[in-house]
Amino acid sequence: NAGVTQTPKFQVLKTGQSMTLQCAQDMNHEYMSWYRQDPGMGLRLIHYSVGAGITDQGEVPNGYNVSRSTTEDFPLRLLSAAPSQTSVYFCASSSGTGPLYFGPGTRLTVL
Amino acid sequence: EDKVVQSPLSLVVHEGDTVTLNCSYEVTNFRSLLWYKQEKKAPTFLFMLTSSGIEKKSGRLSSILDKKELFSILNITATQTGDSAIYLCAVGNMNYGGSQGNLIFGKGTKLSVKP
């Protein structure tokens, strides 16, 4: 099993550009989520999904969209990138009763 | 407001020392407490605790939860340089549709083990 995979690993955007961070898992987990990690702020939940077709907002959802058309995939869209979105983004999944497993992360810089 | 507080924020020890990392929490509808280790990449899972007073152990690492006093500790005995990392504590609540996965994270304890 590959576990949780994320692409790209690194990305540089200009302010106002849009992009999609890809996330996939092959563990048949119903639950998936996106976190961002910033120095001094810890990991903060952006959006999550408890199953295909179901998504909801976390602690810091502004500026991001998600969709969950399949159990395996949970992409995160940045609509109009801002410097405040410079961060490391982690996708994660769990079975719902087990622990959360993280992908390798995407380091995003917005200029 | 739900919160998870870890202490100390950073710690420097020498190889062979024993360390205790602390995690206290205030979370409505508590479901579980988890510990993760983060080196220069993604957090990796260490322990998940749901019952008070039952120690989880893996090699030199162990952890215990006190649901009455709302805290947990992570112990590492005979530390090695490979234990150098940020240790994250996270608490799951049932507010988000009952999912185990919505975790509230503390800011972590940065452990440095010197040879």
Side-chain angles (χ1 to χ4, degrees):
Chain A
N1 284 352
V4 181
T5 58
Q6 291 181 236
T7 57
K9 292 184 179 178
F10 302 94
Q11 183 70 49
V12 178
L13 292 177
K14 294 181 179 179
T15 297
Q17 288 184 315
S18 63
M19 79 159 295
T20 299
L21 307 184
Q22 301 292 343
C23 174
Q25 53 90 11
D26 62 359
M27 298 175 282
N28 202 33
H29 285 168
E30 287 297 319
Y31 177 89
M32 296 185 74
S33 58
W34 278 99
Y35 284 84
R36 60 178 288 175
Q37 187 172 37
D38 303 291
M41 300 295 292
L43 282 155
R44 293 180 292 169
L45 181 66
I46 304 171
H47 284 285
Y48 67 98
S49 169
V50 297
I54 306 169
T55 65
D56 207 343
Q57 297 179 352
E59 180 186 356
V60 288
N62 293 341
Y64 308 95
N65 272 356
V66 292
S67 61
R68 184 95 178 270
S69 57
T70 67
T71 299
E72 294 78 21
D73 300 300
F74 191 44
L76 177 72
R77 297 182 189 84
L78 279 70
L79 309 173
S80 177
S84 61
Q85 294 178 304
T86 294
S87 187
V88 180
Y89 291 85
F90 290 105
C91 179
S93 73
S94 82
S95 64
T97 57
L100 201 60
Y101 293 100
F102 287 85
T106 295
R107 185 174 293 274
L108 175 69
T109 301
V110 182
L111 303 175
Chain B
E1 180 183 342
D2 294 343
K3 63 180 179 180
V4 177
V5 178
Q6 293 186 244
S7 64
L9 292 180
S10 66
L11 188 57
V12 180
V13 300
H14 288 93
E15 273 191 316
D17 288 349
T18 293
V19 298
T20 298
L21 310 183
N22 303 295
C23 176
S24 64
Y25 62 90
E26 295 177 23
V27 173
T28 55
N29 293 326
F30 173 90
R31 184 161 183 170
S32 59
L33 186 144
L34 294 87
W35 285 96
Y36 288 85
K37 178 181 182 182
Q38 186 174 26
E39 297 168 275
K40 294 183 180 179
K41 44 191 178 180
T44 54
F45 170 69
L46 294 174
F47 298 113
M48 183 167 74
L49 303 143
T50 56
S51 300
S52 208
I54 298 176
E55 184 181 48
K56 291 279 183 98
K57 195 171 173 65
S58 177
R60 297 177 292 103
L61 278 66
S62 64
S63 182
I64 196 161
L65 173 66
D66 186 328
K67 291 170 73 173
K68 181 179 178 184
E69 299 298 329
L70 308 183
F71 79 91
S72 174
I73 60 172
L74 175 68
N75 279 325
I76 308 175
T77 59
T79 52
Q80 303 170 356
T81 55
D83 295 326
S84 296
I86 296 173
Y87 290 85
L88 299 169
C89 174
V91 176
N93 66 36
M94 290 188 277
N95 291 341
Y96 295 97
S99 169
Q100 186 80 300
N102 274 18
L103 300 179
I104 301 164
F105 282 84
K107 295 183 179 179
T109 293
K110 184 177 181 181
L111 174 65
S112 299
V113 182
K114 295 191 176 301

